[in-house]
């Protein structure tokens, strides 16, 4: 069972007490998962530790620009060269999300440190630092570096910026706090190249993403009250455009950004007659999408959740949108 929350300094001491360390984060890694991993790994290397950063899926092309992105390896790189390292899991609420190869490594070791900000995290390590109020794991890593008075390397600085900028939706989501801006300000003072960083993050998309958007726009549906907007994409289209898993990241905001829309939903046909649903809410009081997705076997956060349902694209969309409109009709708001 998880022990009471340790202090950041205690976490720092755990890290200092290990001579070799493996750091991993969840599969299909995002900016926070990768940014936190690279930043912590670089900091610990600076302190003389032997560190290996791993991710079961490696670094997707979209994040290849991250400083030291090539220092993140796939689990096969581990072999036996590190002996019995301390294992650190970052930004991963559920150990299943580390991927089976990484999880196997964890269960072979005895010491696991978990640092995360997912509310659902039950503390599956020997030591767990879970701060669900933090908008990004990267913000926790920054606080750790500061609490320990460790040097902020240029690599850590840039990667922490990416972690925080992406997980806060460019400092827009409600979990963003004054502290987030204070840290962002310090990272800028320390030399983050904001123009380059923003160009890499937001103006560096492959053309096929625009082709995908063109297809999606042709399928837009809006509920009669205008509160739900959705679109869908078939397996055939995904194949024809050679769409990669990351290509649609953030596109759904085109729907959520509409005036009057409370929930945006994207339906994506997958192999095995399954449809992947992504739902984004603007207002958790009117629509808690985590709850709706849980009813379909999925999960997530109140404003961002998902599920996978068996069925055809049209039948799944119909079922999900019907459940959603019922929820919106009974939201209890005046
Ligand atoms: Mn995160």
């Amino acid at each position: 069972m998880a022990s009471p929350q340790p202090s950041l300094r205690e976490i720092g001491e755990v890290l200092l007490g290990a001579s070799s360390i493996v750091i991993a984060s969840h599969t299909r890694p995002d900016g926070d998962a990768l940014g936190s991993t690279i930043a912590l790994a670089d900091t610990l290397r600076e302190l003389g530790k032997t560190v290996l950063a791993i991710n079961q899926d490696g670094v997707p092309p979209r994040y290849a620009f991250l400083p030291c992105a090539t220092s993140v390896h796939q689990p096969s790189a581990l072999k036996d060269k590190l002996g019995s390292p301390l294992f650190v899991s970052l930004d991963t609420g559920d150990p299943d999300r580390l991927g089976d190869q990484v999880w196997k490594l964890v269960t072979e070791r005895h010491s696991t440190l978990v640092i995360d900000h997912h509310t659902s995290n039950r503390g599956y390590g020997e030591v767990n630092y879970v701060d669900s109020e933090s908008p990004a794991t990267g913000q926790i890593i920054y606080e750790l570096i500061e609490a320990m008075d460790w040097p902020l390397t240029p690599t850590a600085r840039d990667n922490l910026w990416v972690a925080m900028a992406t997980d806060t939706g460019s400092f827009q989501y409600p979990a963003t706090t004054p502290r987030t801006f204070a840290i962002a300000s310090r990272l800028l003072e320390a030399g983050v190249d904001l123009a380059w960083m923003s160009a890499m993050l937001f103006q560096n998309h492959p053309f096929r993403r625009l082709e995908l958007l063109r297809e999606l726009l042709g399928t837009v549906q809006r509920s009669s009250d205008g509160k739900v907007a959705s679109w869908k994409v078939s397996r055939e289209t995904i194949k024809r455009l050679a769409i990669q898993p990351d290509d649609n990241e953030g596109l759904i905001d085109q729907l959520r950004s509409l005036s009057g829309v409370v929930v945006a939903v994207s339906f994506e046909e997958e192999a095995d007659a399954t449809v992947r649903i992504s739902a984004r809410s603007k207002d958790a009081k009117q629509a808690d999408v985590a709850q709706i997705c849980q009813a379909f076997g999925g999960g997530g956060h109140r404003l961002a959740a998902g599920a996978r349902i068996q069925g055809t694209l049209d039948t799944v969309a119909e079922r999900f949108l019907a459940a959603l409109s019922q929820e919106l009709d009974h939201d209890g708001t005046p």
Side-chain angles (χ1 to χ4, degrees), residues 30 32 91 117-118 136-137 167:
D30 54 19
D32 190 27
D91 196 43
H117 70 131
H118 289 90
T137 299
D167 253 27

Side-chain angles (χ1 to χ4, degrees), residues 152-230:
L152 179 69
T153 67
T155 294
R157 174 198 70 197
D158 287 355
N159 277 279
L160 290 177
W161 178 273
V162 170
M164 291 172 58
T166 53
D167 253 27
T168 56
S170 299
F171 306 99
Q172 292 178 63
Y173 298 154
T176 311
T177 65
R179 182 69 188 148
T180 313
F181 282 99
I183 295 170
S185 166
R186 283 187 205 165
L187 295 175
L188 284 172
E189 277 164 8
V192 166
D193 182 342
L194 184 60
W196 178 77
M197 203 59 101
S198 302
M200 285 295 129
L201 277 175
F202 307 115
Q203 296 153 11
N204 194 29
H205 297 302
F207 184 69
R208 59 176 188 271
R209 178 180 152 103
L210 193 67
E211 294 180 300
L212 173 62
L213 178 61
R214 177 163 54 194
E215 296 281 345
L216 287 165
L217 288 173
T219 73
V220 170
Q221 275 191 350
R222 211 153 56 113
S223 60
S224 53
D225 58 9
K227 288 185 180 176
V228 179
S230 65

